[in-house]
Amino acid sequence: MEDNTPVFKSPTEEIQYWKSKYQQKVQEFNDLEESFNDFQDSSRELEKEMEKDLERSEKRLSEVTSQYHKLKAESDATMEKSRRNAEDSGTMIHHLQDELEILKRTHRESQRIQQKLEHDNDTLERREREHASSITDLTDKVNKLLEDNAWLQTELDETRLKYQEVSQRTKEELKDLQMELDMKDRAREEKMRGAGLVTPDGQMVGSLQRSNSTLPLPSTPMGKSDLFPPSKSATTKNSLIMVNEMVQLVKDMESRLNAMKVEGPRTPRGYGSDSAMSTPIRV
């Protein structure tokens, strides 16, 4: 170590020098002491902070340790659950593989059934076309029968009107003939009563009741030919014959219509109208 002590010219200068050095060292000591005190104060504060940090760290360590044990337990539970899930998944995979095989077989069977159904569908479509053609033919026949039925219905209506006219006219003629017959009966009864052959109460006299009467009875009984004039009788007979013929004609036409209803093909649903056949015709 080099000696930096200066050379003094006098003892006073040396004293002044060492005095200044002393003061300098005292000042340095004071500064160091103050720094030391500050260091101690800061050390104590730092120690307190470190103690607090240590307490916090210990507390944090305790919490972390507790959380670690908790997480470890959860991890163990999760691993156990994962192991069970893996076992369950393996079992499920085996089941799914079995189901997949079953589904494959079912799919192949479904394809076979689908092919069969397509074949059956083609057959049904062909039959449907044949049936549609048959329905068209039947429709034409039904329309023809409906036309014939309408014509017969018209003819029947005309015949019924003629029959009603003839029937009404015949009834009127029968009424006139009945009135004429009543008048003839009353005239004949008046003649017999005037001749004394009939009593006032309408009974014949006693002498006419014996077989050997002086007034012979008519050899033939009085019939309708004696009661009706020839012209009226012929007219009535002709009218009755015409009425019977018309009634027979109406019955024949009704029989033909009924036969067409029973034996004719049924009208397919949606084709034509059977309103003309829905109600039986009565005279």
Side-chain angles (χ1 to χ4, degrees):
M1 183 177 181
E2 295 182 357
D3 188 6
N4 295 326
T5 304
V7 178
F8 299 107
K9 296 178 178 180
S10 62
T12 304
E13 184 178 358
E14 183 178 1
I15 291 171
Q16 288 293 333
Y17 174 75
W18 289 112
K19 187 177 180 180
S20 61
K21 281 288 186 182
Y22 172 75
Q23 290 177 351
Q24 183 180 358
K25 294 297 181 183
V26 169
Q27 184 64 37
E28 289 179 357
F29 176 77
N30 290 332
D31 291 338
L32 288 173
E33 187 179 11
E34 185 178 358
S35 296
F36 178 72
N37 291 332
D38 292 337
F39 177 72
Q40 283 184 337
D41 292 337
S42 63
S43 295
R44 284 192 294 270
E45 291 178 359
L46 182 60
E47 185 179 359
K48 289 180 181 178
E49 290 293 332
M50 290 179 68
E51 288 178 354
K52 291 180 180 179
D53 290 340
L54 181 60
E55 290 177 358
R56 286 195 295 269
S57 297
E58 289 177 351
K59 185 178 180 181
R60 178 64 179 167
L61 178 61
S62 176
E63 292 176 354
V64 169
T65 303
S66 175
Q67 188 173 4
Y68 166 74
H69 290 299
K70 182 179 180 181
L71 290 174
K72 187 175 184 303
E74 291 179 356
S75 176
D76 294 338
T78 303
M79 291 179 65
E80 180 65 21
K81 186 177 180 180
S82 298
R83 185 183 62 80
R84 290 196 301 269
N85 288 336
E87 293 177 356
D88 295 340
S89 298
T91 305
M92 185 177 294
I93 288 172
H94 289 302
H95 288 314
L96 290 175
Q97 288 177 348
D98 295 338
E99 291 182 0
L100 180 61
E101 291 297 328
I102 294 173
L103 289 175
K104 286 181 179 179
R105 291 195 298 270
T106 304
H107 179 65
R108 290 193 294 269
E109 183 67 19
S110 298
Q111 286 181 338
R112 188 183 65 79
I113 294 174
Q114 183 180 3
Q115 293 176 355
K116 184 177 181 300
L117 289 176
E118 288 176 354
H119 177 71
D120 293 342
N121 187 37
D122 294 337
T123 303
L124 289 175
E125 288 180 352
R126 184 175 64 256
R127 291 181 179 177
E128 182 181 3
R129 290 191 295 270
E130 293 174 356
H131 291 166
S133 177
S134 299
I135 288 174
T136 303
D137 296 337
L138 289 175
T139 303
D140 295 338
K141 292 180 181 179
V142 168
N143 292 331
K144 182 65 170 60
L145 289 175
L146 290 176
E147 292 177 359
D148 295 341
N149 184 23
W151 180 80
L152 290 174
Q153 184 68 35
T154 303
E155 185 177 354
L156 179 62
D157 292 338
E158 294 176 355
T159 305
R160 184 186 292 110
L161 291 175
K162 291 180 181 179
Y163 165 74
Q164 290 176 353
E165 293 175 358
V166 173
S167 177
Q168 184 65 29
R169 187 168 60 252
T170 304
K171 289 179 180 179
E172 292 176 356
E173 292 178 357
L174 289 174
K175 184 177 179 181
D176 295 339
L177 291 174
Q178 185 65 37
M179 293 176 61
E180 186 177 354
L181 178 62
D182 293 339
M183 292 175 62
K184 287 183 175 292
D185 288 340
R186 285 195 297 271
R188 182 171 58 83
E189 187 177 352
E190 289 293 334
K191 289 180 179 180
M192 293 179 69
R193 186 179 293 110
L197 300 177
V198 179
T199 60
D201 56 357
Q203 297 294 329
M204 297 180 66
V205 295
S207 60
L208 292 177
Q209 297 178 0
R210 295 191 299 268
S211 58
N212 296 324
S213 174
T214 58
L215 293 176
L217 293 174
S219 59
T220 57
M222 186 177 295
K224 290 185 178 180
S225 59
D226 300 328
L227 298 177
F228 296 102
S231 59
K232 292 291 183 177
S233 177
T235 304
T236 303
K237 184 176 181 180
N238 293 332
S239 298
L240 291 176
I241 292 173
M242 186 180 297
V243 170
N244 290 331
E245 290 178 352
M246 287 189 175
V247 170
Q248 187 63 34
L249 179 60
V250 170
K251 289 182 179 180
D252 292 340
M253 293 181 70
E254 285 184 347
S255 300
R256 291 174 62 188
L257 285 174
N258 292 328
M260 291 177 65
K261 293 176 186 177
V262 174
E263 298 177 0
R266 295 184 178 179
T267 304
R269 185 178 298 277
Y271 295 93
S273 173
D274 55 355
S275 59
M277 294 183 178
S278 59
T279 304
I281 300 172
R282 299 182 181 278
V283 178

